[in-house]
Amino acid sequence: MAMDTPAHTPTTHTPTTRTLIPAPHTLLTHQAPQTPQIPPHPPTPQPALTPRTTLHTTPATQPLAALLRGTVGAATGLGLADGGVSRDGIVLRLATDVPGGPEAYRLSTDRSREDVAVLIEGPTPAGVFRGIQTLRQLLGPDGFRRAPLGGGREWALPGVTIEDRPRFAWRGLMLDVARHFMPKDGVLRYLDLIAAHKLNVFHFHLTDDQGWRIEIKRYPRLTEVGAWRSRTKWGHRASPLWDEKPHGGYYTQDDIREIVAYAAERHIRVVPEIDLPGHSQAAIAAYPELGNTDVIDTAALSVWDTWGVNPNVLAPTDTTLRFYEGVLEEVLELFPEDVSPFIHIGGDECPKEQWQKSDIAQERIRELGLDGENELQSWIIRHFDTWLSARGRRLIGWDEILEGGLAPGAAVSSWRGFGAGVAAAEAGHDVVMCPEQYVYLDHRQAAGADEPMPIGFVRTLEDVYRFEPVPPQLGPEAAAHILGTQANVWTEVMENQSRVDYQTFPRLAAFAEVAWSALPAPADRDFADFERRMTAHYKRLDALGVDYRPPTGPLPGQQRPGVLGRPIEGAPPNR
């Protein structure tokens, strides 16, 4: 997140006018100049938010007023009543001279520029919204609370002008709610957290073998049956432990509309994921005709209760295609194009053994003149690429959709490393870089035995900070196809919101700085400075109520002694 702010709100301050246009931008704090320029005339009183502070908006920025009052106003206890441009005011307005694209902004508390307490400008409301997040950072950790701490304090601000802009247009977080369901209020809370970190894409993983989480009215059994499993594997799939309590839940269509509207207010795009043709046992359990009925007894399947790659995949039939077209018709209505231009179709980890044994699948391969099961999967993905394109949307899928040939308009989420993303970009396809070696936040954060349910490689805060989304071998034309980057939170071993917090934070702060800022090459990044700035950011996370992993290691309540994980030793392959 572009946290371009001082580490704390100073209680004493020698007012100086300074223009901070960082190169590279840094997320957690701006550095004061080595030799601040002291004005020759008596210093201007330090800007501050006080009970006299009013809020001035224009028609384009008026919708941001409620968001500013709900964050800055709630934390400070100030009413921020509507008012004109004044010495005590906050002004939000559009300005065409702010460089850096639609999400750039200029925040100034420098009275020599304009005699107001705070001026936030951007070329779009999205840019102004990003500037509001920096204002919260300038107010210090208490600027992130939901109610004031009292005491009638004035909220001093440093005299600065900040011009800032993001490096990438796609700065995302994927949240898996299929493996462990997160109630609606938790999803809204995560939208607030990613907005505070200046991320702008929420990838909503809604369906998988272990649960179907979105109401589809024409197919009610998807949630009546598919949203619930009888028990859950506790820990890695090799663990002997089970949670015998039924688990599940889903979002009604009105819940989805609320989530989408909440995201849109915060200038966050939502990418819904409906996984196919693999990771589909929950759907097959609800509607057995979707599976390979000539190979297995699909009517005997239930929602899967363990983890891993599931052999029970969708049948490549017209029945399946029409079913998922019906699902997607309702998905498109719930996720309007202005918020959700991309629809994620999964396409990953689809074992082909059932298709190899299925007379129906083999007949389809012959009928279409395909070269085996990989091209059969590609045919399914291409079908939905064409279907979505005809309705003004773009398909995006995990990098397995490259196998058998990539649909012409499809974009790729490159998760198995950098190689697939490089190949896709060089072939002229758009790519979101999310390699598991760096930004799979389910991977363990340290090598200690006290890490809860340790999964995968050690991926420390520093590892994430040194992640570079654009592979150096890409030429300029191919590099332009890197839309951005995304961190992924898979929840097999995250049974509740607290566990999601622990795995996601503080590493999401490092990721957000990478996604926003034009940092030096990975080896040249000043991680020691980032750690220093994180000292202040931990206090912000405390104020936000985030159950993050402390830098000293997990707290007792964050540990899961005796629950088997799957740690992998050594450095991950850099493929």
Side-chain angles (χ1 to χ4, degrees):
M1 63 188 213
M3 290 206 165
D4 295 314
T5 66
H8 62 279
T9 300
T11 54
T12 61
H13 179 71
T14 302
T16 65
T17 299
R18 62 185 190 266
T19 300
L20 302 178
I21 306 176
H25 303 302
T26 55
L27 205 57
L28 298 174
T29 145
H30 276 306
Q31 303 298 310
Q34 294 294 320
T35 54
Q37 199 173 8
I38 307 299
H41 49 75
T44 305
Q46 183 175 356
L49 305 187
T50 74
R52 301 183 304 277
T53 299
T54 58
L55 177 60
H56 176 74
T57 61
T58 65
T61 62
Q62 194 281 327
L64 298 174
L67 292 168
L68 190 143
R69 292 186 178 109
T71 52
V72 172
T76 60
L78 303 177
L80 304 179
D82 290 331
V85 178
S86 70
R87 185 173 183 78
D88 295 312
I90 298 174
V91 175
L92 308 179
R93 69 185 181 205
L94 300 188
T96 59
D97 67 335
V98 178
E103 291 183 274
Y105 68 88
R106 179 190 297 123
L107 184 154
S108 181
T109 59
D110 173 5
R111 293 192 189 276
S112 70
R113 185 174 188 278
E114 189 156 346
D115 198 13
V116 297
V118 179
L119 173 64
I120 304 177
E121 302 172 295
T124 68
V128 176
F129 180 76
R130 308 298 173 222
I132 289 172
Q133 308 317 306
T134 295
L135 173 61
R136 297 173 72 191
Q137 296 157 10
L138 286 168
L139 293 170
D142 290 345
F144 288 83
R145 296 189 180 275
R146 295 187 181 182
L149 301 184
R153 63 183 281 191
E154 290 195 353
W155 293 78
L157 294 164
V160 298
T161 293
I162 300 167
E163 289 190 358
D164 200 7
R165 60 193 180 275
R167 179 184 179 194
F168 292 109
W170 186 303
R171 307 181 305 282
L173 175 74
M174 189 226 70
L175 180 63
D176 167 20
V177 297
R179 273 49 177 270
H180 278 99
F181 178 65
M182 180 177 284
K184 180 192 68 179
D185 285 353
V187 174
L188 299 178
R189 172 178 176 265
Y190 257 80
L191 289 171
D192 281 333
L193 288 173
I194 69 176
H197 287 76
K198 296 191 179 73
L199 301 178
N200 69 344
V201 175
F202 178 59
H203 178 165
F204 205 7
H205 185 80
L206 288 164
T207 73
D208 217 294
D209 299 301
Q210 296 85 3
W212 185 284
R213 305 296 179 216
I214 178 172
E215 179 187 26
I216 303 298
K217 291 188 180 294
R218 75 185 70 183
Y219 302 126
R221 287 177 59 84
L222 286 172
T223 46
E224 291 170 358
V225 174
W228 307 93
R229 60 177 181 262
S230 61
R231 64 177 186 169
T232 299
K233 176 64 71 172
W234 182 232
H236 183 257
R237 62 179 176 271
S239 167
L241 304 177
W242 293 88
D243 180 348
E244 297 292 347
K245 181 177 67 176
H247 177 85
Y250 66 92
Y251 310 104
T252 68
Q253 293 204 348
D254 282 344
D255 289 338
I256 293 291
R257 292 186 180 97
E258 180 183 357
I259 290 167
V260 169
Y262 198 84
E265 288 177 343
R266 287 150 183 79
H267 299 277
I268 296 169
R269 286 176 287 158
V270 182
V271 180
E273 181 177 353
I274 306 296
D275 214 337
L276 61 89
H279 287 294
S280 298
Q281 184 163 318
I284 297 169
Y287 292 92
E289 64 271 23
L290 298 174
N292 294 285
T293 56
D294 61 338
V295 176
I296 62 164
D297 179 9
T298 57
L301 294 177
S302 59
V303 178
W304 212 25
D305 55 15
T306 189
W307 321 121
V309 178
N310 190 313
N312 297 308
V313 302
L314 297 173
T317 63
D318 290 344
T319 296
T320 297
L321 298 182
R322 299 293 89 76
F323 182 95
Y324 275 88
E325 287 171 3
V327 168
L328 290 170
E329 283 176 4
E330 295 192 27
V331 167
L332 296 191
E333 189 275 324
L334 294 169
F335 294 88
E337 183 179 359
D338 59 338
V339 181
S340 302
F342 286 88
I343 305 296
H344 208 290
I345 301 298
D348 62 316
E349 295 180 329
C350 179
K352 308 300 191 296
E353 288 79 10
Q354 289 185 1
W355 289 353
Q356 291 167 354
K357 297 175 182 177
S358 167
D359 291 339
I360 294 171
Q362 292 303 311
E363 175 58 29
R364 177 124 277 183
I365 289 172
R366 289 190 293 271
E367 168 197 329
L368 297 170
L370 303 176
D371 185 16
E373 291 75 23
N374 281 343
E375 283 198 4
L376 181 60
Q377 177 173 340
S378 177
W379 172 77
I380 293 171
I381 300 300
R382 285 170 180 266
H383 172 86
F384 286 104
D385 178 68
T386 300
W387 191 91
L388 288 167
S389 295
R391 289 156 181 80
R393 307 299 180 95
R394 289 191 64 189
L395 181 147
I396 186 169
W398 303 110
D399 58 50
E400 286 93 333
I401 68 173
L402 289 163
E403 297 166 4
L406 187 59
V412 173
S413 300
S414 187
W415 76 272
R416 291 180 295 178
F418 296 94
V422 168
E426 289 179 339
H429 292 275
D430 289 338
V431 175
V432 175
M433 281 293 185
C434 49
E436 63 174 330
Q437 301 98 313
Y438 285 94
V439 292
Y440 266 42
L441 301 185
D442 51 317
H443 283 225
R444 56 191 173 136
Q445 302 186 66
D450 55 356
E451 287 300 312
M453 303 188 208
I455 297 296
F457 298 102
V458 172
R459 297 289 80 190
T460 65
L461 184 67
E462 181 172 1
D463 290 327
V464 176
Y465 190 65
R466 296 193 188 280
F467 165 54
E468 171 49 50
V470 180
Q473 66 265 42
L474 288 181
E477 184 176 350
H481 284 287
I482 305 299
L483 298 177
T485 184
Q486 179 174 291
N488 294 337
V489 180
W490 299 103
T491 62
E492 288 93 334
V493 296
M494 301 180 211
E495 73 277 13
N496 55 36
Q497 179 177 283
S498 177
R499 282 285 292 122
V500 174
D501 278 5
Y502 178 91
Q503 292 297 134
T504 304
F505 291 96
R507 292 182 294 182
L508 192 69
F511 170 79
E513 181 153 311
V514 168
W516 180 278
S517 306
L519 298 175
D524 298 329
R525 293 176 190 175
D526 190 347
F527 180 69
D529 179 67
F530 180 80
E531 279 192 305
R532 179 188 63 78
R533 293 182 283 116
M534 276 299 299
T535 301
H537 194 56
Y538 287 123
K539 296 176 183 178
R540 297 183 185 117
L541 296 178
D542 288 333
L544 287 163
V546 176
D547 196 9
Y548 60 87
R549 181 190 187 276
T552 53
L555 300 172
Q558 294 172 326
Q559 299 173 23
R560 298 290 186 273
V563 184
L564 185 67
R566 183 176 175 262
I568 304 174
E569 301 304 328
N574 189 23
R575 59 179 185 269

